[in-house]
Amino acid sequence: TGLYTGSQYDEIWADGNDGTPQTFRNLIVLQADAWTVDDYGRLAMDLTGKGDGLLIRDGHCIPIVWSRENESDPFYYSLADGSPAALGVGRSYVAITPTMEDTELQP
């Protein structure tokens, strides 16, 4: 189908109404600075400024840069040369992960 099916813990994400699998045209993985906020290991993330990411679509994994000036602004995705990253038409799934420098924050 050219789509990616969402799943977690070996379970496919299904629509609660009809059970059809949830599919996405674009997978976007963003890296953001993170810090631990409590003894449970919960993280807060800085989602303004800019950071690295990946756009996965049509069988390709493309490095991107994300940016957002304020928390109320939309994210902007660009390629390394500054040109806009072209998303495929359809649904997108966005995952946000700590930057590589933040990996020591694990509880």
Side-chain angles (χ1 to χ4, degrees), residues 60-74:
H60 299 280
C61 182
I62 305 160
I64 60 171
V65 175
W66 64 266
S67 61
R68 184 166 86 150
E69 205 168 302
N70 299 299
E71 289 184 4
S72 60
D73 293 336

Side-chain angles (χ1 to χ4, degrees), residues 30-53:
L30 308 180
Q31 290 187 352
D33 291 335
W35 58 95
T36 305
V37 296
D38 59 25
D39 291 338
Y40 293 104
R42 289 182 275 210
L43 299 178
M45 301 185 119
D46 184 3
L47 298 175
T48 58
K50 62 175 20 181
D52 294 325

